[in-house]
Each structure stands twice: as structure tokens, then as C-alpha cells.
Amino acid sequence: MVGEEMLIAVTGTPGVGKTTVAKLLAEKLGYEYVDLRRFVLERGIGELKYDELEVEVDELAYHVERELKGKRAVLDGHLSHLMPVDLVIVLRAHPKLIGKRLTARGYSREKVGENVEAELVDVILVEALDEHENVIEVDTTGKRPEEVVEEILDLIRSGVKKRVGVVDWSEVYDEIIPYLRLGGE
Ligand SMILES: Nc1ncnc2c1ncn2[C@@H]1O[C@H](COP(=O)(O)OP(=O)(O)OP(=O)(O)O)[C@@H](O)[C@H]1O
């Protein structure tokens, strides 16, 4: 698995650590690192609106297919699991970590809540499983980026193509109530 050409997507809720892990994973594998946001803007196939990337997913997939298929590359971005890749790494983190990081980044309470809730109910994992068979889910909570990447490399090296169901945040619901958009808030 590691030897052959492979497109690997690193996806997950904003603030989960995609960029941090994708860069390190690409380096360890000797793969090209592709930041999808930059990929889109450089090709003029999308635009930034209030820091949100607006892009036609099918058009992005077409460009990824045409330019990257058959290459050794790690795609970083919250749309990467919707691309024609060979393996999807879904990063997870305790929703309160997402809340803390996005609040520190200056996101509005609304946007923080939206992303904390998405992490709570496994939105990206479900989307990835809708699109791909080869999905590896990794809980990054309490792990250094190096440890997360080692865990991913061990799984890839041992030929694991699918490993999901590693987190269930419903047990920590009451810890994250402060970040949730409850009721009409
Ligand atoms: N394993 C980790 N342990 C501690 N902090 C981490 C870890 N991974 C990422 N971080 C920190 O969390 C923050 C978000 O990381 P990063 O930007 O990689 O997330 P992201 O998922 O790419 O976010 P976005 O989707 O908004 O680009 C950064 O401050 C980063 O340093």
C-alpha cells in the first residue's frame, strides 16, 4: 500500500488538525502535500467569501482527477474526502478541543457551535463513508501530531484499508454544552 501511487485525503472538522497532520504525513511518506484551498484558488475554480471557500465540488474533483490521479499526494482540506482518492483519513478530536481552537481563532459563536455539533455527530465520517470504502478514522485527542502520524503509518503499512467507529462523543455531551447552539440562541 505504501509503495504504490496513492492519493490520500486528510479530512475532518475545521480545527481538528488536518493541516498539521497532512503536512507531517506527506513528509514521512515522501508524498506531495496539496492544500486544496490553495489548489482551488490557484486554478480560479473557486473563491473565498468571508474566509469560506466557495467551490463546485464536481469541478474540483475533475481537476484533482486530471492533475493528481496516479500520483503520490496527501490532500489537505475539509472537502478532500469528496475527491477521487484511494484512502481517506478522518481525523477526530474531542468537540471541546474544536470549540476551544475555533474560539481562539476568532470564529463567531454560531460558527463554533456549528462545527462542534458537526464533530459531535460524526458529519465528516458519515460523508466519507458515503463516498469511499477505504476510510481510516483516527482520534487525535491527547496525542501529539507525531503520534497521530505514526498511528496512521502503522495502519497503512499493515495494509489496513478500513478502521472506523473509534470515537463516540455522545458520552461527553454535557462537557460541550457551553459550545452548542441550543434552542433559538
Ligand atoms: N495533535 C495535536 N495536538 C495539539 N494541537 C494540535 C494538534 N493538531 C493540531 N493542533 C493545533 O490545532 C489547531 C488547528 O490545527 P490545523 O490548522 O492543523 O487544523 P485544521 O483541521 O487544518 O483546521 P482548518 O480546517 O481550519 O484548516 C492549530 O493551532 C494546531 O497547532
Side-chain angles (χ1 to χ4, degrees):
M1 191 84 164
V2 179
E4 70 203 45
E5 286 70 41
M6 203 164 43
L7 276 188
I8 303 174
V10 176
T11 190
T13 308
V16 74
K18 292 183 294 300
T19 301
T20 306
V21 167
K23 281 182 175 168
L24 196 54
L25 179 65
E27 185 193 316
K28 297 273 185 188
L29 283 171
Y31 274 36
E32 184 185 347
Y33 165 77
V34 177
D35 172 350
L36 278 184
R37 192 190 184 106
R38 217 174 93 191
F39 183 90
V40 165
L41 298 176
E42 278 171 355
R43 286 153 190 76
I45 54 177
E47 55 183 332
L48 273 183
K49 274 191 188 139
Y50 316 111
D51 202 29
E52 289 270 315
L53 189 64
E54 305 257 322
V55 61
E56 225 322 284
V57 172
D58 292 346
E59 188 173 7
L60 175 53
Y62 165 75
H63 285 271
V64 166
E65 173 93 25
R66 196 178 59 170
E67 293 185 45
L68 297 173
K69 201 73 187 155
K71 287 203 175 159
R72 291 183 167 93
V74 175
L75 306 190
D76 168 21
H78 69 284
L79 296 174
S80 62
H81 58 287
L82 303 176
M83 296 297 112
V85 295
D86 304 295
L87 174 65
V88 179
I89 308 290
V90 180
L91 299 181
R92 306 302 304 268
H94 191 300
K96 74 181 172 196
L97 277 181
I98 302 289
K100 283 195 184 104
R101 290 174 184 168
L102 297 185
T103 303
R105 208 185 270 181
Y107 278 27
S108 69
R109 178 156 169 60
E110 174 71 17
K111 263 186 76 66
V112 171
E114 190 185 303
N115 285 300
V116 167
E117 288 158 21
E119 180 60 26
L120 177 67
V121 298
D122 310 334
V123 166
I124 301 285
L125 176 69
V126 171
E127 283 182 7
L129 289 168
D130 278 352
E131 296 286 327
H132 297 280
E133 256 312 293
N134 298 348
V135 177
I136 290 178
E137 185 185 26
V138 180
D139 182 6
T140 67
T141 310
K143 296 172 191 166
R144 286 178 297 100
E146 295 75 9
E147 290 172 287
V148 172
V149 170
E150 268 320 300
E151 183 176 337
I152 293 166
L153 288 172
D154 287 348
L155 289 163
I156 292 178
R157 285 188 187 116
S158 48
V160 170
K161 293 185 188 285
K162 185 169 187 175
R163 188 203 62 179
V164 294
V166 299
V167 299
D168 172 5
W169 298 133
S170 60
E171 300 147 12
V172 301
Y173 182 83
D174 43 5
E175 282 180 63
I176 55 176
I177 285 176
Y179 291 110
L180 302 181
R181 300 171 295 170
L182 300 170
E185 270 182 59

